[in-house]
């Protein structure tokens, strides 16, 4: 198990390098450069050149990258081109919002999805079809549109939840929870229904296998067979899917945070893109990748825990 | 492929969604012809109207016609989605084919890149690309397509791997076709189904993402409509008019639902294409065969080895059927037999005779759709067929143990062997954890597993086949059952291991005084463990008696034919004998003798009516009109009883 963790962490290093190089090269391709963005369109060519030298933009690309990387490792992600704040501090101030969204979203979709999927796997007919229909809807309705509709119905019309904004957990736990309900619902709908469907298909398949028959022949109570043997085997593909949906939700924050005006990384990415703040964007991409790497590690651990074949080979 | 298309067309729901999808696409493409208004025609007097005859889906804040704007917006949104889907599919399918078919380094490199790709939050990277390429949306959509490639690679690679292992691909390779040609001409058509499913999925995701980006303002500049920008406009006027948001978001959802439906239908159609023939012929057979077979069964004598003392298990008039309740296809009809305590009995016959149905019925574990349609199964003077779920659970394992054909498949792959055994022990006793652990070690010792403590800690995939079957036997006897049912327990094993497992079964049967019902097609297997045997054919018993009587002086022509087919009784240099014809399928049984069609001794009267049992000596009985006559002329002899074990 330890070896799996170490191997995964070692694999993460090239992944992060590749992503950072890609985003670095990509941003250097941008028409107009950082100096022009900072100084605005009224700048003289001389002042632009001076700032370029100051920012190190006259150095070769690989040297610029090395400078950026050696700083990034220490947590210094550079300075925003538009607000001249440190990207690192902006990102870390906004990180908790995004993390709260995706973690609560992932947990909600995994727990509810598995529960729903299990019920529909064991009940023939109507329940299964209802879940099929819900899964189709969850997959089809754009998350930001769902968010807009939820805001209109549950916030504007019924006043059950705040329409927009974020309350810090340390300020008011209940306010925090209330401010998360709608955005999490919008974000997690796809994952929840997708996981429910996968759980159902997977559990059905497992319950038809020979070893389930053998357990029945042992005289094992059916409840125990489903919970201890069926679900545990069925969970193996589900765990992988949870990882996939986590990454999807992380991307989805870009839209959902904009709809609910939440001060997270997703909405920061949108505003940075609109203002051409490439340094901040780069920082966000790197932070997102680190999160994904860590979550994938957790998923791998869960996978190994569930599947002895993966753990022992 | 053609099967997939045909299957798709046969489904009304799929056909409707397909037509709907085509109509939406056509309407958007032909927007200038279909639209009722100019998309950007402002009319302040008609601001924010509800649907009407003039404006089918109402208007927006500037009085522009929503229906017309949706059509024009669809051209942009759908075109972008198409670009994304095309890029993803072309690159993804190619990479998936190469990765799955070539394997080795190609596979490793492609899968590494895929793993990296899967870890990238797509939308965030797309936003970076957007801020770099400013308004070049085509470039952005191509990048979006590339970012979605990993999903496609994975879902194409898996079926390619499966197809690669098939014989026709080997044949193509051996015949000297180039790898490229095999991939394109032979492998690609076989994975067309998963690729089509993936295409619908990718198109749906691409549409959602391009709409999402346009919603955020990354798209053609206003006033030109896209579905995303219309959702954005709709959300701004939500308080005064919800129609715009509903129409724009609803259209996106509708197109996605259609794509999803088509994808599901393709998947289902493929599943049916694989199994379709089987079910349709089965249905035909069922309708052709009148269900009167069970009605005219002959009276059967009670045939037991030991008449003294009560029987442990009695099957009385046992009939088993599969299918819809009330219209089952019978697989077993009017079976009558008994097993005494401690007696080892073999149940012999070709595949498809209903042997396994009998074994499963005794355990109350007939697969879905199967049920006991008549008669009773008495175990220790209780009717098993009337058991409640709770009684059944207490009876299984505790009264009857079961050993199946595939030892590995019978073990939960994610549970340690010892944990599984302990669970069985504790289900049927009130031993403590520690006591149960000792009992597990004791059980593993009983089945002669060396170093039982170490084996108990292993997972099933760490066991050999023979070891797994020993574990399965330990599990079956864990609760001390009075009857052990072993269904082809050695068929999946190596020849050398087979003999050991049979010896173990025999040893345990004698040591524990446990009755054994051994189901097998192999006389050598039965002869090693059982004293008595029953010959089954087409859901009916044809002959019963001592194994020695049966193999040395078989009375029924079917038993003789079975024995003659044994490799051990074949003459060197001659073709291995086989019984001509096939076992009639369930539900197509003839009246009278069911073996008559394949029997070399059959007479017209054999099929005239039900055949009754004919007694030979002792408990030896045969269901054949010519029993006496053939017994006299009997020349068949077999060495099996005397040479037992040596020819296994």
């Amino acid at each position: 198990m330890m070896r799996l963790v170490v191997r995964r962490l070692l694999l993460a290093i090239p992944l992060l390098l590749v992503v950072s190089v890609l985003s670095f090269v990509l941003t250097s391709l941008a028409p107009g450069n950082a100096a022009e963005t900072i100084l605005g369109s009224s700048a003289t060519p001389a002042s632009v050149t001076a700032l370029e030298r100051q920012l190190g933009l006259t150095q070769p690309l690989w040297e610029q990258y090395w400078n950026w990387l050696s700083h990034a490792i220490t947590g210094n992600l550079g300075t925003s081109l538009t607000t001249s704040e440190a990207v690192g501090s902006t990102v870390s101030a906004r990180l908790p919002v995004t993390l709260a969204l995706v973690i609560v979203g992932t947990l909600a979709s995994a727990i509810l999805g598995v529960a729903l999927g299990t019920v529909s796997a064991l009940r023939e007919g109507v329940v299964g079809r209802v879940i099929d229909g819900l899964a189709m809807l969850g997959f089809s309705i754009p998350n930001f549109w769902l968010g807009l509709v939820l805001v209109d119905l549950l916030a504007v019309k019924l006043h059950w939840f705040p329409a927009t904004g974020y309350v810090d957990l340390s300020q008011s736990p209940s306010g925090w929870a209330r401010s998360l309900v709608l955005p999490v619902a919008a974000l997690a709908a796809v994952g929840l229904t997708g996981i429910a469907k996968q759980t159902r298909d997977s559990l059905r398949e497992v319950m038809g296998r020979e070893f389930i028959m053998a357990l029945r022949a042992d005289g094992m109570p059916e409840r125990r067979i489903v919970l201890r043997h069926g679900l545990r085997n069925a969970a193996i593909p589900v765990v992988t899917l949870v990882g996939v949906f986590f990454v999807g939700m992380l991307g989805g924050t870009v839209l959902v945070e904009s709809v609910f005006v939440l001060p997270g990384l997703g909405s920061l990415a949108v505003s940075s893109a609109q203002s051409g703040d490439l340094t901040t964007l780069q920082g966000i991409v790197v932070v997102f990748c680190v999160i994904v790497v860590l979550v994938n590690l957790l998923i791998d651990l869960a996978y190994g825990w569930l599947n002895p074949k993966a753990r022992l080979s | 492929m053609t099967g997939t298309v045909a299957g798709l067309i046969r489904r009304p729901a799929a056909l409707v969604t397909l037509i709907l999808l085509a109509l939406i696409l056509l309407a958007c493409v032909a927007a200038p012809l279909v639209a009722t208004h100019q998309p950007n025609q402002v009319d302040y007097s008609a601001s924010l109207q509800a649907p009407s005859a003039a404006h089918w889906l109402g208007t927006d804040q500037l009085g522009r016609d929503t229906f017309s704007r949706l059509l024009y917006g669809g051209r942009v949104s759908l075109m972008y989605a198409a670009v994304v889907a095309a890029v993803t599919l072309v690159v993804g399918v190619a990479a998936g084919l190469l990765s799955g078919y070539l394997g080795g380094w190609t596979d490793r490199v492609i899968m590494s890149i895929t793993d990296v790709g899967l870890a990238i939050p797509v939308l965030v990277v797309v936003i970076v690309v957007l801020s770099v390429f400013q308004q070049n949306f085509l470039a952005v959509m191509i990048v979006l397509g590339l970012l979605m490639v990993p999903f496609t690679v994975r879902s194409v690679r898996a079926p390619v791997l499966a197809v690669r292992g098939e014989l026709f691909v080997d044949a193509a390779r051996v015949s000297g076709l180039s790898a490229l040609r095999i991939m394109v001409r032979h492998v690609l058509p076989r994975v067309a189904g998963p690729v089509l499913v993936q295409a619908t999925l990718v198109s749906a995701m691409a549409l959602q993402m391009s709409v999402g980006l346009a919603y955020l303002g990354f798209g053609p500049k206003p006033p030109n409509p896209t579905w995303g920008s219309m959702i954005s406009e709709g959300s701004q006027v939500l308080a005064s008019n919800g129609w715009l948001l509903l129409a724009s978001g609803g259209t996106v959802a509708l197109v996605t639902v259609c794509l999803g439906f088509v994808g599901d239908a393709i998947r289902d159609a493929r599943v049916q294409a694989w199994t379709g023939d089987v079910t349709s012929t089965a249905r035909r057979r069922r309708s052709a065969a009148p269900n009167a077979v069970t009605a005219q069964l002959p009276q059967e004598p009670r045939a037991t080895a030991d008449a003294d003392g009560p029987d442990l298990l009695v099957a009385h008039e046992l009939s088993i059927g599969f299918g819809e309740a009330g219209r089952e296809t019978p697989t077993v009809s009017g079976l009558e037999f008994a097993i005494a305590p401690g007696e080892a009995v073999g149940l012999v016959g070709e595949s498809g005779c209903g042997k396994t149905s009998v074994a499963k019925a005794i355990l109350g574990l007939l697969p879905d759709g199967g049920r006991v349609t008549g008669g009773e199964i008495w175990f220790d003077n209780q009717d098993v067929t009337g058991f409640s779920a709770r009684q059944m659970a207490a009876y299984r394992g505790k009264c009857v143990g079961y050993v199946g054909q595939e030892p590995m498949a019978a073990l939960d792959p994610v549970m340690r062997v010892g944990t599984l055994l302990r669970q069985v022990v504790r289900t049927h006793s009130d031993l403590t954890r520690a006591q149960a652990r000792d009992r597990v070690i004791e059980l593993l010792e009983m089945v002669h597993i060396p170093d039982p403590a170490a084996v108990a800690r292993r997972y099933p995939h760490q066991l050999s086949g023979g070891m797994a079957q020993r574990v399965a036997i330990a599990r079956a006897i864990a609760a001390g059952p009075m009857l052990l049912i072993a269904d082809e327990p050695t068929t999946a094993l190596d020849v050398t291991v087979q003999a050991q497992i049979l010896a173990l079964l025999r040893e345990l049967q004698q040591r524990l005084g446990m009755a054994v019902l051994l189901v097998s097609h192999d006389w050598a297997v039965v002869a090693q463990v059982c004293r008595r045997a029953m010959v089954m054919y087409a859901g009916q018993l044809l002959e019963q008696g001592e194994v020695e009587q049966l193999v040395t002086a078989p009375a029924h022509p079917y038993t003789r034919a079975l024995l003659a087919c044994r490799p051990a009784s074949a003459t060197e240099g001659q073709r291995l004998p086989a019984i001509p014809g096939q076992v009639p399928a369930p539900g197509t049984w003839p009246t009278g003798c069911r073996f008559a069609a394949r029997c070399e001794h059959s007479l017209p009267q054999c099929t005239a009516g039900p055949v009754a049992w004919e007694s030979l000596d002792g408990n030896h009985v045969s269901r054949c009109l010519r029993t006496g006559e053939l017994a006299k002329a009997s020349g068949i002899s077999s060495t099996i009883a005397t040479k037992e074990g040596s020819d296994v």
Side-chain angles (χ1 to χ4, degrees):
Chain A
M1 203 63 182
M2 216 38 225
R3 270 180 51 203
L4 184 83
V5 174
V6 172
R7 228 186 64 201
R8 273 287 156 180
L9 282 175
L10 288 178
L11 272 176
I13 294 169
L15 168 68
L16 288 173
L17 280 179
V18 166
V19 171
S20 65
V21 167
L22 275 181
S23 68
F24 201 86
V25 171
L26 210 60
T27 48
S28 73
L29 287 176
N33 63 30
E36 283 169 12
T37 309
I38 293 171
L39 293 171
S41 52
S42 59
T44 61
S47 60
V48 169
T49 320
L51 187 61
E52 272 180 358
R53 190 160 301 137
Q54 195 195 327
L55 290 171
L57 294 177
T58 47
Q59 293 170 345
L61 195 61
W62 68 266
E63 219 165 290
Q64 290 182 40
Y65 175 70
W66 177 249
N67 277 336
W68 177 85
L69 185 68
S70 50
H71 284 119
I73 288 172
T74 64
N76 178 359
L77 293 170
T79 312
S80 160
L81 297 184
T82 50
T83 64
S84 43
E85 276 172 41
V87 172
S89 58
T90 315
V91 165
S92 53
R94 283 169 167 257
L95 185 60
V97 181
T98 301
L99 279 185
L101 263 183
V102 289
I103 290 175
V104 175
T106 305
L107 289 178
S109 57
I111 294 167
L112 294 177
V114 167
L116 215 58
T118 306
V119 172
S120 98
L122 302 178
R123 294 258 174 92
E124 293 286 320
V126 182
V127 186
R129 243 168 285 148
V130 167
I131 284 176
D132 259 354
L134 283 179
M136 194 65 92
L137 276 182
F139 167 73
S140 305
I141 296 176
N143 59 8
F144 59 97
W145 189 76
L146 178 63
L148 291 168
V149 173
L150 288 176
V151 166
D152 185 51
L153 289 179
L154 302 182
V156 176
K157 298 225 167 80
L158 294 171
H159 302 291
W160 287 358
F161 302 101
T164 55
Y166 178 75
V167 180
D168 206 71
L169 178 61
S170 57
Q171 233 169 33
S172 151
S174 66
W176 174 79
R178 271 164 56 88
S179 72
L180 278 183
V181 171
L182 295 186
V184 163
L187 196 61
V190 186
L192 194 161
T193 48
I195 288 170
K197 208 173 170 186
Q198 171 73 58
T199 304
R200 184 182 51 143
D201 292 351
S202 174
L203 187 56
R204 281 243 172 105
E205 186 265 323
V206 169
M207 291 306 286
R209 282 206 229 152
E210 181 76 15
F211 78 85
I212 294 290
M213 207 283 293
L215 286 164
R216 292 193 177 124
D218 286 337
M220 210 66 77
E222 191 66 20
R223 210 186 154 76
R224 175 108 156 251
I225 295 177
V226 172
L227 295 180
R228 253 197 105 168
H229 301 270
L231 263 186
R232 173 135 189 218
N233 278 279
I236 294 172
V238 173
V239 162
T240 315
L241 197 68
V242 170
V244 171
F245 278 122
F246 177 86
V247 179
M249 280 187 217
L250 206 54
T253 57
V254 167
L255 285 157
V256 169
E257 286 180 10
S258 300
V259 169
F260 290 92
V261 203
L262 298 174
L265 291 177
S267 52
L268 181 65
V270 175
S271 59
S272 306
Q274 279 157 349
S275 64
D277 187 351
L278 296 176
T279 329
T280 303
L281 268 180
Q282 224 166 45
I284 296 172
V285 170
V286 170
V287 169
F288 270 19
C289 278
V290 172
I291 296 174
V292 171
V293 164
L294 291 178
V295 167
N296 278 349
L297 186 67
L298 284 179
I299 295 286
D300 281 342
L301 288 178
Y303 191 86
W305 177 72
L306 284 169
N307 188 358
K309 261 186 213 169
R311 191 189 329 154
L312 299 168
S313 59
Chain B
M1 178 69 201
T2 48
T4 307
V5 174
L8 200 57
I9 290 170
R10 271 202 301 272
R11 280 153 207 279
L15 193 62
V16 168
T17 47
L18 208 58
I19 290 172
L20 192 59
L21 203 57
L23 281 179
I24 295 173
L25 276 176
L26 262 179
C28 289
V29 170
L33 300 175
V34 183
T36 51
H37 295 73
Q38 283 300 310
N40 298 329
Q41 185 189 326
V42 176
D43 179 4
Y44 291 109
S45 63
S47 173
L48 291 177
Q49 288 190 348
S52 65
H55 300 287
W56 297 349
L57 291 174
T59 60
D60 66 6
Q61 192 148 30
L62 300 176
R64 297 175 295 194
D65 181 57
T66 301
F67 175 67
S68 305
R69 282 175 69 75
L70 274 178
L71 292 183
Y72 278 95
R75 299 178 105 180
V76 181
S77 299
L78 291 172
M79 197 263 286
Y80 283 160
V83 170
V84 176
V87 170
T88 307
L89 285 174
V90 169
V91 180
V93 170
L97 265 179
L98 287 173
S99 179
Y101 182 77
L102 295 179
W105 270 106
T106 322
D107 185 38
R108 245 167 283 162
V109 170
I110 292 177
M111 288 322 284
S112 307
I113 298 175
T114 303
D115 279 346
V116 172
L118 282 174
I120 296 176
V122 176
L123 265 184
V124 183
V125 174
V126 166
I127 283 183
V128 176
V129 177
L130 261 171
S131 66
V132 172
F133 288 101
Q134 304 292 342
Q135 293 302 311
N136 188 349
F137 293 108
L138 195 63
V140 173
M141 291 303 145
I142 291 174
V143 172
L144 181 52
L146 289 176
L147 286 172
M148 284 168 63
V149 164
F151 297 98
T152 308
V153 173
R154 288 209 153 188
S155 41
V156 173
R157 179 175 170 266
V160 169
L161 275 179
V163 171
R164 188 180 67 161
E166 284 184 28
L167 285 174
F168 79 97
V169 175
D170 285 338
R173 208 176 299 146
V174 170
S175 69
L177 291 185
S178 73
L180 182 69
R181 202 184 151 96
I182 297 175
M183 273 187 270
V184 175
R185 296 284 300 275
H186 299 278
V187 178
L188 191 57
R190 284 295 302 275
V191 300
V195 168
L196 281 176
V197 173
Q198 185 66 18
T200 60
L201 207 68
V202 162
S203 309
M205 280 163 68
L207 178 67
Q208 300 245 325
M209 290 215 188
S210 70
V211 169
L213 288 171
Y215 166 78
L216 289 174
F218 303 108
K221 286 284 164 256
N224 292 325
T226 68
W227 288 350
S229 65
M230 290 178 72
I231 293 179
S232 173
E233 288 157 17
S235 72
Q236 283 152 20
V237 298
L238 188 57
S240 43
N241 185 351
W243 278 102
L244 186 51
L245 184 66
L246 192 68
S248 51
T251 308
V252 177
L254 181 66
V255 172
T256 322
V257 165
C258 287
L259 285 168
F261 253 116
V262 173
D264 273 8
I266 293 172
R267 205 185 51 196
D268 294 350
R270 283 178 56 233
V271 172
Q272 207 194 26
W274 290 331
T275 57
D277 289 344
V278 181
T279 49
S280 58
T281 47
R283 210 169 295 138
R284 245 175 278 137
R285 264 186 216 138
R286 206 172 302 154
S287 53
N291 224 349
V293 195
T294 42
Q296 31 174 307
L297 284 164
Q299 283 296 308
E300 314 222 357
R302 287 268 300 249
T304 334
D306 303 302
D308 49 298
D311 290 319
L312 179 65
L313 182 91
V314 177
H316 177 60
E317 287 284 317
L318 177 64
S319 296
I320 300 167
F322 280 80
E324 225 176 293
R327 296 172 47 199
E328 294 95 347
T329 308
T331 58
V332 170
S333 65
L335 218 60
E336 189 86 31
F337 69 85
I339 298 174
E343 187 194 19
V345 181
L347 184 58
V348 191
E350 286 168 280
S351 335
C353 284
K355 306 185 300 275
T356 296
S357 288
V358 174
K360 294 271 166 80
I362 296 171
L363 285 158
L365 282 176
L366 286 168
D368 282 347
R371 65 188 70 82
V372 172
T373 53
E376 304 107 51
I377 299 167
W378 294 88
F379 184 90
D380 208 13
N381 293 322
Q382 283 179 294
D383 183 9
V384 175
T385 56
F387 275 177
S388 67
R390 180 184 290 255
Q391 285 173 307
M392 205 50 149
Y395 155 81
R396 292 182 196 138
K398 180 80 184 163
C399 300
V400 184
Y402 174 76
V403 176
Q405 181 170 349
E406 292 281 347
M408 214 60 99
L411 295 168
D412 183 344
V414 305
M415 187 172 265
R416 289 179 203 275
V417 166
T419 315
L420 182 70
L421 286 173
R422 204 169 64 222
Q423 196 176 285
V424 181
V425 168
R426 292 194 73 192
T427 302
H428 295 291
S429 69
D430 30 345
L431 296 184
T432 63
R433 263 182 110 75
Q435 287 171 325
R437 195 167 297 137
D438 294 343
R439 169 76 177 144
V440 167
I441 301 294
E442 187 190 333
L443 284 166
L444 289 174
E445 276 165 355
M446 281 171 77
V447 295
H448 307 308
I449 283 182
D451 198 358
V455 171
R457 280 194 300 274
R458 291 201 199 156
Y459 285 97
H461 71 275
Q462 296 168 313
L463 300 177
S464 68
M467 192 93 96
Q469 195 63 303
R470 284 175 194 274
V471 170
I473 293 170
R475 171 191 192 173
I477 62 171
M482 287 177 273
L483 172 66
L484 179 76
I485 297 178
D487 188 357
E488 302 271 9
T490 56
T491 310
L493 301 176
D494 278 343
V495 179
T496 46
V497 182
Q498 284 185 4
Q500 298 169 11
I501 294 292
L502 292 175
L504 175 66
L505 279 177
R506 192 188 170 96
E507 177 200 323
L508 289 172
Q509 185 250 332
Q510 286 171 352
R511 185 168 151 200
L512 302 173
M514 174 176 67
V516 170
L517 176 64
L518 179 67
V519 176
S520 180
H521 65 282
D522 189 342
W523 280 104
V525 167
V526 172
Q528 269 209 61
V529 181
C530 308
R531 202 165 65 99
R532 197 163 66 83
M534 310 182 283
V535 180
M536 191 163 180
Y537 184 80
Q540 198 179 39
L541 292 183
L542 292 188
E543 186 168 1
Q544 302 188 55
E546 307 280 316
V547 173
E548 201 179 326
Q549 292 171 330
L550 290 178
V551 293
T552 51
H556 200 285
Y558 177 61
T559 313
R560 290 186 191 187
L562 266 185
L563 283 162
C565 291
R566 293 174 49 247
S569 58
T571 322
E572 200 177 314
Q574 298 241 314
R575 245 170 200 287
L576 210 55
I579 309 177
Q582 283 175 339
V583 183
T588 62
W589 298 327
T591 24
C593 178
R594 292 179 189 170
F595 184 63
R598 301 169 75 188
C599 179
E600 53 182 343
H601 305 287
S602 71
L603 300 172
Q605 55 265 42
C606 288
T607 49
V611 183
W613 286 111
E614 297 279 334
S615 265
L616 291 103
D617 48 325
N619 287 312
H620 192 179
V621 289
S622 166
R623 194 194 290 276
C624 177
L625 289 177
R626 303 180 68 186
T627 301
E629 173 189 345
L630 292 170
K632 262 177 242 157
S634 169
I636 284 197
S637 67
S638 171
T639 49
I640 188 162
T642 47
K643 267 172 68 182
E644 105 185 5
S646 59
D647 57 352
V648 179

